[in-house]
Amino acid sequence: MALTLSGPIHHLDPLSPNLHEDAARMRAHGPIVPVELPGGVVMWAVTGDEAGRNVLKDSDRFAKSPSYWKALQNGELPKDWPLLSLAAPAGNAITVVDGSEHRKLRRPLSQALTARRVEALTPVVAALVERLLDDLERAADKAEDDVVDFRSLFAWPLPMGVIGHLLGVDEADHDELGRLYTALFDDTLGDGRDAELSLHSWLDEHVSRLEREPGDDMISAMLALPPEDRLPREDLVVTMYVVLAAGHETTTHLLVNAVRALSTRPEQRDLLLSGEVPWENLVEETMRWDSPTANFFTRFATEDIDGADVHPAAEGVRIAEGDPVFISYISMGRDPERYGPTAGAFDVRRGETHTSFGYGTHFCIGSPLARLEGRIALERIFSRWPDLEVVGDVPRSPSIVVNSHTHLDVRLRPA
Ligand code: HEM
């Protein structure tokens, strides 16, 4: 049977109680399936890991630029569609350009975030981790029932502090900046364009400050490049915007999801604490099993594509030129075709690679930084409080893009 975008087989709901179950349902229909998003917009969902990697490495046929998106160009999307600013961000961002334009924007950013530069941030990350853990402990001592929200007191401020340091943003401004861009991910707030504009003007003003008073940060370094290597100012502002949007909350979700998974698996925690299994495995297994990014949009077919050309099991899939395609990382991470019959089990001994940092030319530039933060933070948390337990409800973030929780109440030293 031929599958086209006119016959979606599943509806994704931001308020769904379990995105993994949704993902499994989509995957059961095949590695590429038509799915309806909130607002009635239909896209192809890539649910299989191999199909996902094939799409991501084929940047000629699956482009990033929304200029290929027929429904957008024809004005057929619903007015105020809440996911518009994520699916088709305005501006010349690294995440929505292809080919040489993409390489031009990616080069300076990847130079600023090389593995060596990121490794040099180890003392900054380690000091911030200790300070936030001390704060968390103090908050727990003050709390009536010893319960503290790990997300708001640790998992949110840690990556904010690290990215703030990278971008030269004063600590006093971290909260305001965080509030501005968190609005981007709120599927319930209009089409997100207002949030995009507010954040943009804040960052623009910040770059002006750094032009007047350069500091020891990534943006000042990019401003000081010789003119032929320097990004135009507008591109620099958009680049900061992308680093924040792509790098902060994703890392928050990684920390929340890892703490949640490990705190109920004492035998795996002991393997990590004894050194039998390296802490890196906890980061990688969380990324695979509970990917911080659930579903992410942003590929558009540049020509008609037969699904069987992408993956043999996608026979009958007819992707038309101009169709939008999103990658379901949450589904790919538990794909039994790649990870075998135990794909749905969390096991830090697995030590496997995954596709949750993307693949191909747009592979995550910040992965060394996210891995560094995750490794240092998780090792310190469980070394300090091996019996940490999650208490009460763990509400899901109301989103089809984000796979995480709005808070994570924990007891550091349960009685
Ligand atoms: C656990 C944390 C993170 C996760 C799960 C994550 C995930 C991803 C994924 C899946 C992509 C590929 C998107 C695509 O191909 O459409 C990506 C790209 C990107 N990430 Fe990350 N990321 C994380 C942390 C970071 C950090 C810390 C930074 C920066 C400090 C960052 C910056 C970027 C940038 C700039 C891109 C765009 C690259 C391009 O389009 O060429 N990410 N990320």
Side-chain angles (χ1 to χ4, degrees):
M1 192 186 71
L3 284 179
T4 66
L5 274 197
S6 52
I9 50 90
H10 186 78
H11 169 80
L12 271 180
D13 179 358
L15 301 178
S16 159
N18 193 325
L19 283 183
H20 282 291
E21 281 173 12
D22 288 340
R25 269 198 287 276
M26 293 195 296
R27 201 171 50 237
H29 287 274
I32 308 178
V33 288
V35 168
E36 186 181 342
L37 307 178
V41 174
V42 185
M43 291 191 182
W44 292 103
V46 183
T47 65
D49 185 78
E50 191 184 341
R53 281 181 285 129
N54 289 342
V55 166
L56 293 172
K57 72 182 180 199
D58 188 354
S59 46
D60 287 338
R61 291 195 303 169
F62 293 98
K64 275 286 208 170
S65 166
S67 62
Y68 292 102
W69 191 1
K70 266 209 179 118
L72 176 70
Q73 301 310 329
N74 296 342
E76 290 162 11
L77 295 178
K79 243 176 130 356
D80 290 343
W81 187 49
L83 297 166
L84 187 64
S85 65
L86 286 178
N92 193 29
I94 182 173
T95 47
V96 289
V97 291
D98 301 290
S100 58
E101 218 178 328
H102 174 243
R103 283 191 292 278
K104 191 187 86 194
L105 290 175
R106 189 169 165 109
R107 198 176 311 118
L109 197 51
S110 41
Q111 278 166 1
L113 286 170
T114 56
R116 192 176 50 83
R117 288 200 178 187
V118 167
E119 204 51 45
L121 286 173
T122 302
V124 174
V125 175
L128 192 52
V129 164
E130 287 315 317
R131 206 179 83 203
L132 290 170
L133 291 182
D134 289 346
D135 291 349
L136 193 64
E137 182 156 42
R138 265 192 296 276
D141 289 344
K142 277 198 207 135
E144 236 171 62
D145 48 5
D146 303 335
V147 173
V148 278
D149 177 15
F150 172 78
R151 185 188 189 280
S152 62
L153 293 174
F154 185 88
W156 201 91
L158 175 65
M160 187 70 233
V162 174
I163 291 190
H165 175 88
L166 265 181
L167 300 181
V169 176
D170 283 347
E171 217 174 316
D173 294 330
H174 289 182
D175 279 352
E176 190 194 348
L177 184 55
R179 258 195 311 279
L180 282 172
Y181 84 84
T182 308
L184 285 180
F185 296 95
D186 191 332
D187 297 3
T188 61
L189 287 180
D191 68 2
R193 291 288 191 223
D194 285 350
E196 214 178 353
L197 286 176
S198 311
L199 178 58
H200 191 280
S201 64
W202 195 97
L203 292 173
D204 192 50
E205 177 51 34
H206 177 63
V207 173
S208 300
R209 259 196 308 272
L210 292 179
E211 274 171 343
R212 290 191 303 269
E213 302 159 36
D216 180 21
D217 58 82
M218 185 174 109
I219 300 298
S220 300
M222 285 165 91
L223 284 167
L225 287 172
E228 61 276 16
D229 294 339
R230 206 181 301 155
L231 286 181
R233 196 172 184 295
E234 173 61 17
D235 289 353
L236 193 60
V237 172
V238 175
T239 297
M240 284 180 68
Y241 176 108
V242 173
V243 166
L244 265 168
H248 177 217
E249 283 222 352
T250 45
T251 311
T252 299
H253 309 323
L254 166 66
L255 296 169
V256 165
N257 294 358
V259 164
R260 185 159 181 249
L262 196 67
S263 63
T264 53
R265 292 172 175 82
E267 67 303 340
Q268 296 194 34
R269 176 207 59 202
D270 291 347
L271 291 173
L272 292 158
L273 284 173
S274 67
E276 226 170 297
V277 171
W279 287 94
E280 284 81 354
N281 283 29
L282 173 57
V283 174
E284 303 310 321
E285 183 62 349
T286 307
M287 289 290 298
R288 177 195 76 81
W289 183 76
D290 210 6
S291 168
T293 316
N295 304 293
F296 207 68
F297 320 110
T298 70
R299 268 17 179 230
F300 306 99
T302 59
E303 57 184 72
D304 290 347
I305 299 166
D306 181 348
D309 274 1
V310 179
H311 190 279
E315 205 184 328
V317 165
R318 303 272 178 271
I319 302 174
E321 182 185 343
D323 277 359
V325 177
F326 74 82
I327 310 293
S328 183
Y329 293 102
I330 191 174
S331 171
M332 286 160 61
R334 295 192 188 183
D335 180 3
E337 196 196 301
R338 168 152 183 200
Y339 300 105
T342 58
F346 179 88
D347 189 345
V348 292
R349 284 165 298 196
R350 196 185 287 270
E352 284 206 66
T353 57
H354 51 79
T355 315
S356 299
F357 279 121
Y359 197 74
T361 49
H362 288 270
F363 181 79
C364 178
I365 288 185
S367 56
L369 184 58
R371 286 178 157 133
L372 180 83
E373 288 179 57
R375 176 171 54 75
I376 295 178
L378 293 165
E379 174 171 9
R380 288 303 304 136
I381 292 160
F382 284 99
S383 302
R384 197 155 161 174
W385 303 301
D387 299 319
L388 175 148
E389 73 175 11
V390 174
V391 291
D393 286 347
V394 185
R396 232 187 48 66
S397 306
S399 167
I400 60 166
V401 175
V402 165
N403 171 37
S404 192
H405 304 280
T406 54
H407 62 262
L408 190 75
D409 285 344
V410 298
R411 228 175 243 119
L412 304 176
R413 292 193 187 87

